[in-house]
Amino acid sequence: MITVIAGGVGAARLLSGLVEVHDPADITVVANIADDIELHGLHISPDLDTITYTLAGAVDPDTGWGLAGETWAAMDAVERYGGVTWFRLGDRDLGTHLYRTQRLGEGAALSQVTAEITAAWGLRLRLLPVTDDRVRTMVTVDGEGEIGFQEYFVQRRHAVPVTAVRFDGADAATPAPGVLEAFARADVVVIAPSNPIVSVDPVLAVPGVRAAVETARDRTVAVSPIVAGAALKGPADRLLRELGHAATVVGVAELYAPLASVLVIDEADAALSSAVEAEGLRCLVAPTVMSTPERAGALGTTVLEALRR
Amino acid sequence: MITVIAGGVGAARLLSGLVEVHDPADITVVANIADDIELHGLHISPDLDTITYTLAGAVDPDTGWGLAGETWAAMDAVERYGGVTWFRLGDRDLGTHLYRTQRLGEGAALSQVTAEITAAWGLRLRLLPVTDDRVRTMVTVDGEGEIGFQEYFVQRRHAVPVTAVRFDGADAATPAPGVLEAFARADVVVIAPSNPIVSVDPVLAVPGVRAAVETARDRTVAVSPIVAGAALKGPADRLLRELGHAATVVGVAELYAPLASVLVIDEADAALSSAVEAEGLRCLVAPTVMSTPERAGALGTTVLEALRR
């Protein structure tokens, strides 16, 4: 049994590798939902959808999110009205949000709806939102005040200075059915190469989850999202710096040392290996840049074998 | 000043004729919103949209509603999930519902959002929802109980027997800004050839509206939606019969006699002219089937001149 803490694109790529080298039926994904957003009355779950579309082989290969071959008729129409278009939703992708919103309105839990959506795409692994409750990452932007995560990430292209991040609603949230069990029963827990601050931390912020991962520390492997001092995608490096951490694999090691016994870092950071281990976890050096399916599969194997090496 | 009580397709066609023969800036439409529906979290206003798309020259000419050249990627995706697809929403049309829902969620009134949408389409007449409040036509189906209007009209293709119709929320509704004034100031009030039971009656059911039309009776012209004992579109004939009215121009005359001083009936019903007048309003016989823009324009002229003849 493998349980993976997942954000969006980086996690989705690692998962696409893991399902090539391990039976998907034995894989549970505990995904971030704190960057979900309500727009146009629709409930949008970017990380759940990125993972689903990627594993279904339907993701847009150029962006790493959204659907390949997407059309934009609805968004063009919204634009005509002068509506909200900074968060672009393709026509086929809209179908997912329409369905999710309809089902949530009928009283279904997000975890239930997610199971329905992944089943429709033929996914065999289990994709769990970390909670069925509402948790939202709120970002305090220097000189502007607190804004929603997508307002920071998409609308401002994460190009503004951040002074604080908090997870609104996390204190009152409950782990979705199966989440805590997935950590307790896992032979391997994987912290995917997602943003530690805004993808992994909001998963851990749901009461009970951090403790469940800490309890599984000896079985937990993290993959650094920082390679050579930079995030492959998104603002992980910048956020780490702005919030007082080192934007290096050592900074990641410091954050993950209470949670994981192994940190996988890229070959580009091999020289930092002993500094990583000084943080109190074992360091494994391997190619981590998943530029091809083969490389994603190889990283999957590395991660699954990490505890044995 | 002309004020038109409007439902969907039939009203939209008459309006497309009226704006050809009269300055649109002097036309106010008071439209039914009781067949609005919330689906997928979206607020859908079929009559407002049918009127808007028709007057913009963008309506699907085959159906009389929806947009010409529409695509269906979102709905196909919803279908893949086994979601709600009996109410088909095209991709471009979805843009309208996304925009409307977003704006309503921001606190804008339906009348304000409608003004924004019609402005974006370049409409010069004023389209007013009869109320900014929530009114919903509820239909009691024999052997099934009460269902929403669209569940009756679209999902059951209005092919089930109806025993009652009521307008949920009407008692507590307030006319939208400008509605009562539009009747008070009108030189001509037109009751469009819409369904008397489920398009016109829910407009009249908003407190103050029926009285405003009754006050304007001498200035009010109605166009029969029944031609030769049948509705040109939809269940008007069937509903009239099921609810105890004659499904003829005489049945329409009986309903509209307190509201209008003239009823325009089709040439096909010329023989019923004196029976119509026996109900207490003047009968005008003219071609009413708007099968071409020219015929719609001619009917517009007929209606505007009806009070003088």
Side-chain angles (χ1 to χ4, degrees), chain A residues 19-150:
Chain A
V19 297
E20 292 300 318
V21 298
H22 195 88
D23 184 354
D26 289 337
I27 300 177
T28 297
V29 182
V30 177
N32 175 39
I33 54 84
D35 58 6
D36 285 17
I37 182 170
E38 285 83 25
L39 277 178
H40 321 289
L42 301 178
H43 184 113
I44 302 161
S45 296
D47 284 350
L48 294 175
D49 292 346
T50 293
I51 292 168
T52 300
Y53 296 164
T54 299
L55 292 174
V59 81
D60 183 334
D62 295 330
T63 56
W65 52 267
L67 287 161
E70 189 58 280
T71 56
W72 303 92
M75 208 49 31
D76 289 348
V78 172
E79 193 153 31
R80 171 180 203 151
Y81 293 127
V84 177
T85 54
W86 56 264
F87 199 94
R88 302 281 292 170
L89 299 167
D91 297 325
R92 285 175 68 208
D93 183 41
L94 268 171
T96 305
H97 313 313
L98 295 173
Y99 178 76
R100 176 186 293 118
T101 306
Q102 176 71 27
R103 292 286 291 127
L104 292 174
E106 291 166 0
L110 182 59
S111 53
Q112 170 63 29
V113 182
T114 303
E116 294 164 3
I117 290 172
T118 55
W121 284 100
L123 266 55
R124 292 184 53 233
L125 59 61
R126 186 166 62 142
L127 177 58
L128 296 179
V130 62
T131 178
D132 286 328
D133 299 322
R134 190 181 186 282
V135 179
R136 292 295 178 270
T137 298
M138 302 301 294
V139 177
T140 302
V141 172
D142 198 19
E144 185 175 10
E146 191 172 71
I147 59 176
F149 175 74
Q150 298 297 350

Side-chain angles (χ1 to χ4, degrees), chain B residues 190-262:
Chain B
V190 181
I191 301 178
S194 297
N195 190 314
I197 309 284
V198 292
S199 293
V200 176
D201 215 28
V203 172
L204 301 170
V206 173
V209 174
R210 185 182 296 274
V213 180
E214 286 172 351
T215 301
R217 182 181 185 279
D218 290 349
R219 295 171 276 132
T220 299
V221 182
V223 180
S224 174
I226 299 289
V227 174
L232 292 176
K233 190 172 171 66
D237 48 357
R238 185 169 174 160
L239 279 177
L240 283 168
R241 268 193 305 276
E242 290 172 342
L243 298 176
H245 307 281
T248 66
V249 293
V250 183
V252 174
E254 188 182 19
L255 285 169
Y256 286 164
L259 303 160
S261 52
V262 182

Side-chain angles (χ1 to χ4, degrees), chain B:
Chain B
M1 302 294 289
I2 302 168
T3 299
V4 184
I5 297 178
V9 176
R13 291 211 172 132
L14 178 58
L15 288 166
S16 70
L18 280 172
V19 296
E20 292 300 319
V21 300
H22 194 87
D23 184 354
D26 289 339
I27 301 177
T28 297
V29 183
V30 177
N32 174 39
I33 54 85
D35 58 6
D36 285 16
I37 182 170
E38 285 85 24
L39 277 178
H40 321 288
L42 300 178
H43 183 112
I44 301 161
S45 296
D47 284 351
L48 295 175
D49 292 345
T50 293
I51 293 167
T52 300
Y53 296 164
T54 299
L55 292 174
V59 81
D60 183 334
D62 296 331
T63 57
W65 52 267
L67 287 161
E70 189 59 280
T71 55
W72 304 92
M75 208 51 32
D76 289 348
V78 172
E79 194 155 30
R80 169 180 206 154
Y81 293 127
V84 177
T85 54
W86 57 264
F87 198 93
R88 302 280 292 170
L89 299 168
D91 297 324
R92 285 174 68 207
D93 184 39
L94 267 172
T96 305
H97 313 313
L98 295 174
Y99 178 76
R100 177 186 292 117
T101 306
Q102 175 73 26
R103 292 286 292 126
L104 292 173
E106 292 166 359
L110 182 60
S111 54
Q112 170 64 27
V113 181
T114 303
E116 293 164 2
I117 290 172
T118 56
W121 284 100
L123 265 56
R124 290 184 54 231
L125 58 62
R126 187 166 60 144
L127 176 58
L128 296 178
V130 61
T131 178
D132 285 327
D133 298 323
R134 190 181 186 284
V135 179
R136 291 294 178 271
T137 297
M138 303 299 296
V139 178
T140 302
V141 173
D142 198 19
E144 186 174 10
E146 192 171 71
I147 59 176
F149 176 74
Q150 299 297 350
E151 281 77 2
Y152 160 72
F153 186 70
V154 176
Q155 196 174 20
R156 287 161 187 74
R157 299 163 192 269
H158 49 78
V160 290
V162 171
T163 59
V165 169
R166 74 177 178 94
F167 309 116
D168 186 65
D171 291 350
T174 307
V179 164
L180 296 184
E181 295 78 357
F183 292 113
R185 295 178 54 203
D187 301 302
V188 184
V189 173
V190 181
I191 301 178
S194 297
N195 190 314
I197 309 284
V198 292
S199 293
V200 176
D201 215 28
V203 172
L204 301 170
V206 173
V209 174
R210 185 182 296 274
V213 180
E214 286 172 351
T215 301
R217 182 181 185 279
D218 290 349
R219 295 171 276 132
T220 299
V221 182
V223 180
S224 174
I226 299 289
V227 174
L232 292 176
K233 190 172 171 66
D237 48 357
R238 185 169 174 160
L239 279 177
L240 283 168
R241 268 193 305 276
E242 290 172 342
L243 298 176
H245 307 281
T248 66
V249 293
V250 183
V252 174
E254 188 182 19
L255 285 169
Y256 286 164
L259 303 160
S261 52
V262 182
L263 179 66
V264 180
I265 68 170
D266 193 72
E267 291 167 324
D269 291 311
L272 294 171
S273 184
S274 54
V276 164
E277 299 213 328
E279 295 296 335
L281 33 59
R282 192 150 57 81
C283 185
L284 195 60
V285 179
T288 68
V289 181
M290 296 173 280
S291 48
T292 65
E294 293 70 28
R295 286 166 188 257
L299 182 57
T301 300
T302 298
V303 164
L304 295 187
E305 292 177 353
L307 295 168
R308 278 178 260 155
R309 284 164 74 169

